[in-house]
Amino acid sequence: MQVPFLDLKAQYRSIKEEIDAAMQAVVDQTAFAGGPFVARFEEAFAKFCGCKYAVGAGSGTDALWMALIASGVGPGDEVITVPDTFIATAEAISFCGAKPVFVDVVESTCNMDPEKLEGAITERTKAVIPVHLFGQPADMDPILEIARRHGLLVIEDACQAHGSQYKGRMAGSLGDAGCFSFYPGKNLGAYGEAGAVVTNSEALAEKMRMFRDHGQARKYEHEMIGWNARMDGLQGAVLSVKLNHLEDWNNARRQNAHFYDELLQGVPGIIVPTEADYARHVYHIYAIRVKNRDKLIPQLAEHQIFCGIHYPIPLHLQKAYESQAIPAGRFPMAEQCASEFLSLPMYPELTREQIEFVCTTLKTQIPQE
């Protein structure tokens, strides 16, 4: 039996007629750059997230950058985030001219540790970016309380958390803005690059709309130095179709995760992910923790089981950020998680038989103490 890490073809087959019709409609109207198909998706996605506004972007990285720029983050500022995330979180901060400042994570969710946050705040701190890693929200109430007390903006990196919830509220709707990636493999994935920011601030939304379109308020009238960060019409049309299926797909992911939990809970040498009491986890990634990951991956591949690693090197130890001179050991929990994460196959179309095969095989490869 073969078990791919991700199977986008299976998803496409299930909605092929809807997708093909939506893409043909864009071609028929030649509405390729922004336009009505993007606007329709923005309206639907804002409603889905429980926000007033959604601003489409060319990628999740663009979304993070736009949100920071529109919030006034710039040279000399500091923005606090976590080291166990994709580098786009920190890149967006750096490309504003600001400095990413890292805090460690809690072991149970591998998300920002609120108890570490206040100690990282300085007079230069402008914003906090909690990351909802793997599809589970960070513990937002204490993060928001600390941020508000210090007058800081909170921008959620919800790029892996489409449809996840914190105490019944949608990820992305909790802070000043929430940023999403629609990279093809995400729970809500485009057929190319795309992203969006959701917010309840009309002023923030308007600034982001201008920024993504070269700073234009009206054609050839540039009120700010902007960028080309528009979502294209084909992606807007595809995402509108897929948004209608997202809850069913997320529920399937949750069922698959619970089946993994059932089969792997208590197995020596394996730590399964924990769903926090406050959260509805949507399992963009199902990452277990194991000590012998680098040996396990090729062993599983020999059985046609293909896994991934998210993310093996924490950001403070990346060469791109070596100028900060942060030594190994500064953020022990993030470093431990990064060395142990093993991402098992996870997608809505995954079958129980495939999950059973993965777990049975995995158990035979884990060293017995």
Side-chain angles (χ1 to χ4, degrees):
M1 178 183 294
Q2 186 177 84
V3 189
F5 178 66
L6 180 65
D7 188 353
L8 295 180
K9 291 181 180 179
Q11 186 182 87
Y12 171 60
R13 287 192 295 268
S14 71
I15 54 172
K16 183 179 186 303
E17 291 185 5
E18 293 177 82
I19 290 291
D20 291 353
M23 296 182 76
Q24 187 62 52
V26 176
V27 175
D28 288 344
Q29 295 186 35
T30 62
F32 298 120
F37 294 95
V38 172
R40 287 172 204 163
F41 171 69
E42 289 173 332
E43 181 179 359
F45 191 63
K47 182 178 180 181
F48 175 82
C49 291
C51 291
K52 293 179 180 178
Y53 310 101
V55 181
S59 68
T61 309
D62 281 345
L64 288 160
W65 189 30
M66 288 195 325
L68 289 165
I69 289 286
S71 298
V73 174
D77 291 333
E78 295 177 351
V79 178
I80 300 172
T81 190
V82 291
D84 61 340
T85 179
F86 185 56
I87 197 170
T89 313
E91 282 177 328
I93 299 168
S94 297
F95 267 80
C96 292
K99 176 186 176 181
V101 173
F102 303 111
V103 297
D104 210 351
V105 301
V106 294
E107 182 172 12
S108 58
T109 64
C110 302
N111 281 327
M112 180 178 283
D113 186 344
E115 294 185 3
K116 302 291 197 303
L117 176 57
E118 198 150 22
I121 295 172
T122 72
E123 62 182 12
R124 293 180 178 272
T125 307
K126 188 68 172 285
V128 180
I129 303 182
V131 177
H132 303 327
L133 190 70
F134 300 158
Q136 174 159 237
D139 191 0
M140 291 298 295
D141 279 352
I143 292 171
L144 287 164
E145 190 277 325
I146 293 168
R148 299 305 182 228
R149 184 151 35 86
H150 289 270
L152 306 177
L153 297 161
V154 176
I155 297 172
E156 298 170 67
D157 182 338
C159 288
Q160 300 182 347
H162 318 70
S164 69
Q165 296 178 15
Y166 178 83
K167 298 183 178 179
R169 295 179 60 191
M170 285 291 191
S173 71
L174 302 156
D176 296 284
C179 302
F180 292 86
S181 166
F182 303 122
Y183 188 75
K186 297 295 174 70
N187 293 37
L188 181 61
Y191 283 1
E193 297 278 4
V197 184
V198 297
T199 183
N200 287 311
S201 168
E202 183 178 7
L204 197 62
E206 185 56 34
K207 284 182 182 178
M208 290 188 289
R209 290 191 190 103
M210 283 196 291
F211 179 79
R212 71 175 176 183
D213 194 21
H214 299 285
Q216 295 183 111
R218 289 163 295 280
K219 194 172 180 66
Y220 300 131
E221 295 183 22
H222 305 270
E223 296 191 6
M224 64 186 296
I225 296 172
W227 198 250
N228 179 2
R230 296 184 296 264
M231 179 186 289
D232 73 62
L234 287 169
Q235 306 311 332
V238 166
L239 290 167
S240 290
V241 169
K242 296 180 79 172
L243 182 59
N244 293 327
H245 298 273
L246 179 58
E247 279 302 288
D248 288 340
W249 290 337
N250 280 345
N251 286 333
R253 286 176 178 271
R254 286 176 55 77
Q255 289 175 358
N256 290 340
H258 295 158
F259 194 36
Y260 270 129
D261 290 346
E262 179 184 325
L263 295 175
L264 295 177
Q265 192 76 49
V267 174
I270 295 176
I271 300 174
V272 299
T274 300
E275 182 176 46
D277 292 342
Y278 60 69
R280 178 182 184 253
H281 199 326
V282 293
Y283 296 97
H284 168 57
I285 299 295
Y286 186 90
I288 61 173
R289 287 170 51 200
V290 292
K291 296 291 187 184
N292 59 332
R293 176 184 66 198
D294 293 338
K295 292 182 179 179
L296 273 175
I297 289 176
Q299 291 171 347
L300 293 171
E302 289 179 3
H303 294 271
Q304 299 296 296
I305 298 169
F306 300 97
C307 300
I309 302 175
H310 301 79
Y311 299 97
I313 305 174
L315 296 187
H316 66 290
L317 300 179
Q318 293 281 356
K319 184 175 177 62
Y321 285 102
E322 66 180 359
S323 63
Q324 293 202 17
I326 301 174
R330 178 71 61 83
F331 307 114
M333 198 66 252
E335 292 173 30
Q336 183 176 339
C337 289
S339 71
E340 295 175 353
F341 279 144
L342 175 64
S343 303
L344 301 183
M346 172 55 75
Y347 45 93
E349 299 79 16
L350 196 65
T351 67
R352 290 179 70 89
E353 290 75 19
Q354 287 175 310
I355 294 172
E356 286 178 341
F357 179 61
V358 171
C359 294
T360 300
T361 307
L362 181 60
K363 290 174 185 177
T364 67
Q365 304 301 320
I366 294 289
Q368 300 300 310
E369 296 182 358

